[in-house]
Amino acid sequence: MDLVDPQYTIKLIPDPTDCGTVSFFNNGNDTITSDTTDGSTTLTTTIPFGTTETRRANAAPISGYYFSGWYNSWDVNNPISNDNPWYIELSGSPEKTYYAKFSENPSYTVTFKVVAVVDGIETQVADVYVKIGDNDPVKTHTESYTKGDSVTAKAIIDDSKKDSYSFSGWYKNGVKVEDSDGILDQLTITVNESDANAVYTAKFTAIKMYTITVESNNDSWGTVAGGGSYPSGTQIDLSATPNVGYNFTKWSDDNTNSRRKITVTEDATYEAT
C-alpha cells in the first residue's frame, strides 16, 4: 500500500482582530487564503511522508499596539512562543489554530530636567535649559509617552554661560546614562517599561575660576603680563620683560624662564625679580 503524504492546515487568527495582521511566508507549494471577516490566514500544504518541515508565521501590529505572543485556542494565558517571525513545525495534528495576541502599548510618564552643580550642590541657574523635540527650551518637561516612542532631549546653555559651566552628562534616576559625556549633550531614548516615572537630568557643572596675580618686585625695573581670572585647568602664558639696563632673574617659585606656561589649579601669585 502506498503511503500518503500528510496534508496540514494551519490557521492564524489575530487577537483582537482589528489590532494587527497575520501572514505566512509562502514556500511556493503552499496554498494561503485570507478571511476578511476575522482577519485570519489559513495555510494548506502537503509534505513528503516521514519528513518534518516548518513554515514561517508573521504577526504585524497596527500603530499603538505590540505583538505579545502566539497562543493555542485552548490556552489564552500561556504563549506557545514569543518569536516573531515564528517557525511552526508541521507534525502531529493535521489541523492547527493559533492566535497572535496584540496588546495596546502602555503609556509611561517621563520627566526631563536640567540642573547646574555648584560646589557639589544641584541647583537651578539662569540660561541653562532642556529642549524636548520641537518644544521650547524649559527647565523641566514632563510628558506621557507610549511604549516604543522615540524621544530626543537636548541640553542647552546660553553662549554667555559656556565659559562658566561644562556639560557633565545625562543621568537617569541619578545614574549616569552610558556614553553620556561632555560632548554628547543630546540624548535619544526609546521608551520602555523602565521609563515609568523616570527622571532624566542633564547636568552642567560650574567651572571653578581662579585668580592669577602677576607682579614685578619693582615696576621701574620691568613689566609683567599674564595675570587674570581663569577657569581651572586652563594653561596660560606668563611673561617678565626687563627695562633697559636691567635683567630678569627669576620668578618667586624659582622658575628662571622669563616667558613660561602654567596650568591654573588654584589662586596664585607670581612675582618677577
Side-chain angles (χ1 to χ4, degrees):
M1 182 178 66
D2 293 334
L3 297 176
V4 178
D5 292 336
Q7 183 181 76
Y8 291 91
T9 300
I10 302 173
K11 185 175 184 178
L12 305 179
I13 303 176
D15 179 24
T17 58
D18 58 350
C19 295
T21 59
V22 289
S23 62
F24 285 102
F25 178 78
N26 194 342
N27 281 20
N29 297 320
D30 300 337
T31 300
I32 299 176
T33 61
S34 296
D35 185 344
T36 56
T37 59
D38 64 1
S40 65
T41 298
T42 301
L43 174 143
T44 301
T45 187
T46 300
I47 67 172
F49 181 84
T51 65
T52 300
E53 295 185 8
T54 60
R55 293 295 185 268
R56 190 178 77 184
N58 299 278
I62 64 173
S63 178
Y65 286 77
Y66 68 97
F67 170 72
S68 55
W70 298 99
Y71 293 78
N72 279 313
S73 58
W74 62 85
D75 186 355
V76 296
N77 296 315
N78 300 297
I80 307 167
S81 175
N82 290 312
D83 294 341
N84 191 28
W86 177 37
Y87 289 85
I88 302 174
E89 185 175 289
L90 301 180
S91 63
S93 173
E95 295 186 1
K96 303 173 186 292
T97 298
Y98 300 109
Y99 289 83
K101 194 169 185 61
F102 300 105
S103 301
E104 187 173 6
N105 285 333
S107 295
Y108 303 109
T109 299
V110 185
T111 296
F112 297 88
K113 69 176 186 177
V114 61
V115 298
V117 181
V118 181
D119 293 329
I121 299 174
E122 294 184 5
T123 185
Q124 293 283 351
V125 297
D127 303 317
V128 291
Y129 305 95
V130 62
K131 179 176 171 62
I132 311 301
D134 295 328
N135 295 300
D136 292 334
V138 292
K139 299 291 186 183
T140 301
H141 179 96
T142 299
E143 188 171 337
S144 181
Y145 298 98
T146 299
K147 179 182 178 180
D149 282 352
S150 178
V151 184
T152 297
K154 185 173 180 61
I156 298 175
I157 185 168
D158 189 85
D159 288 343
S160 65
K161 295 290 186 179
K162 287 184 176 179
D163 291 335
S164 302
Y165 294 89
S166 63
F167 181 68
S168 54
W170 283 95
Y171 292 75
K172 179 181 179 180
N173 298 331
V175 178
K176 190 170 185 180
V177 178
E178 186 177 359
D179 296 330
S180 171
D181 54 31
I183 298 175
L184 302 177
D185 56 357
Q186 182 167 296
L187 175 73
T188 299
I189 66 168
T190 300
V191 177
N192 58 48
E193 291 85 351
S194 71
D195 292 312
N197 299 313
V199 178
Y200 287 88
T201 303
K203 291 187 181 182
F204 288 90
T205 301
I207 299 173
K208 185 68 174 178
M209 303 294 290
Y210 292 108
T211 299
I212 302 299
T213 302
V214 182
E215 301 173 338
S216 170
N217 66 330
N218 190 317
D219 291 342
S220 64
W221 294 350
T223 59
V224 293
S229 181
Y230 301 98
S232 176
T234 304
Q235 192 173 69
I236 64 172
D237 293 307
L238 303 184
S239 65
T241 305
N243 292 335
V244 175
Y246 293 89
N247 293 316
F248 169 78
T249 303
K250 64 178 182 177
W251 295 96
S252 52
D253 62 352
D254 292 330
N255 184 287
T256 57
N257 296 312
S258 61
R259 295 181 180 276
R260 60 185 293 198
K261 290 183 180 293
I262 66 167
T263 299
V264 177
T265 58
E266 60 183 352
D267 293 333
T269 298
Y270 294 86
E271 182 181 72
T273 301

